[in-house]
Amino acid sequence: GAGVSQTPSNKVTEKGKYVELRCDPISGHTALYWYRQSLGQGPEFLIYFQGTGAADDSGLPNDRFFAVRPEGSVSTLKIQRTERGDSAVYLCASSPAGGVTDTQYFGPGTRLTVL
Amino acid sequence: QKEVEQDPGPLSVPEGAIVSLNCTYSNSAFQYFMWYRQYSRKGPELLMYTYSSGNKEDGRFTAQVDKSSKYISLFIRDSQPSDSATYLCAMSINNYGQNFVFGPGTRLSVLP
């Protein structure tokens, strides 16, 4: 079956602009995660959805970052007033129910470059 | 000191070698330990997870956790060129699935 997909695969924007990154999880997966991965680093947790609600958003770095999952499937990560330090690969993952013992399936990521 | 540390490598080994990958951590509250493999320009994929201390084996892969030393290892037997990737350890305090902490990854190259 189809895996997790993310669009766009690459996004180049200018400092100060607004961007939206989209994640299509595996059908039926209730848990969805967003991570940010900088070059040479492991993924850094941003936010976790269980269904439509954000169960844990403690990883969002500041109020410029916001994510939604209005119908419990597709999620959008929104970044306002982008800064050069936001440049990274943004990874989305989904799992059937959430929990460590529930395998997270990662998408290929969106590579964001802020000029 | 970072919460989870790994030697970034690169680690180069000949095909067929036994590979040892390691992570150290500082938070004694971590209970769940995972190993992920990440190919270039792809998302990570889960290889194994273990709970608390002990060993776990799955095919050519063996995961070990030593909580007293805050040290975990992944061993790969009979390494193959297709094992060439970055290996990330990840840890969690609880089973609720959020807020995993990943190590920075070790880049492995298996030479034919």
Side-chain angles (χ1 to χ4, degrees):
Chain A
V4 177
S5 62
Q6 293 186 246
T7 53
S9 55
N10 284 283
K11 176 71 177 177
V12 180
T13 191
E14 293 179 343
K15 180 174 178 294
K17 299 289 189 183
Y18 168 82
V19 296
E20 289 190 353
L21 312 179
R22 177 185 167 110
C23 172
D24 281 81
I26 293 172
S27 178
H29 282 192
T30 63
L32 185 146
Y33 306 78
W34 283 100
Y35 295 86
R36 177 169 69 175
Q37 187 172 25
S38 300
L39 191 64
Q41 299 298 315
E44 174 193 3
F45 169 80
L46 296 177
I47 187 169
Y48 160 60
F49 286 91
Q50 184 56 251
T52 60
D56 185 347
D57 64 358
S58 62
L60 294 177
N62 51 59
D63 62 5
R64 296 187 298 106
F65 288 75
F66 189 71
V68 295
R69 194 186 185 200
E71 297 177 359
S73 55
V74 170
S75 177
T76 305
L77 178 66
K78 308 179 181 198
I79 310 175
Q80 297 177 321
R81 304 184 303 280
T82 51
E83 300 177 356
R84 292 194 179 88
D86 298 335
S87 296
V89 175
Y90 289 80
L91 292 164
C92 175
S94 71
S95 71
V100 166
T101 55
D102 211 25
T103 300
Q104 290 188 28
Y105 296 88
F106 281 81
T110 293
R111 186 173 299 272
L112 175 67
T113 302
V114 182
L115 301 176
Chain B
Q1 182 190 9
K2 290 187 178 178
E3 206 166 9
V4 180
E5 304 212 43
Q6 282 183 266
D7 185 330
L11 175 63
S12 293
V13 300
E15 184 175 356
I18 296 174
V19 176
S20 173
L21 303 164
N22 311 294
C23 283
T24 58
Y25 61 95
S26 56
N27 188 347
S28 57
F30 286 132
Q31 295 279 357
Y32 295 86
F33 304 91
M34 286 74 67
W35 284 97
Y36 285 80
R37 177 174 62 195
Q38 186 173 26
Y39 292 112
S40 181
R41 295 192 175 261
K42 301 286 187 184
E45 57 178 321
L46 179 68
L47 289 174
M48 301 179 71
Y49 86 89
T50 52
Y51 170 69
S52 195
S53 286
N55 294 1
K56 187 172 184 178
E57 188 174 321
D58 185 358
R60 296 186 295 114
F61 299 91
T62 299
Q64 286 185 354
V65 175
D66 182 349
K67 289 191 69 183
S68 62
S69 302
K70 299 193 187 72
Y71 187 88
I72 69 170
S73 301
L74 178 71
F75 297 95
I76 307 174
R77 290 183 298 282
D78 187 26
S79 56
Q80 304 295 310
S82 59
D83 294 328
S84 298
T86 295
Y87 289 79
L88 301 155
C89 62
M91 308 181 185
S92 179
I93 293 171
N94 57 44
N95 187 28
Y96 302 124
Q98 68 271 33
N99 215 346
F100 288 21
V101 179
F102 279 84
T106 297
R107 193 152 54 94
L108 171 67
S109 180
V110 180
L111 307 174

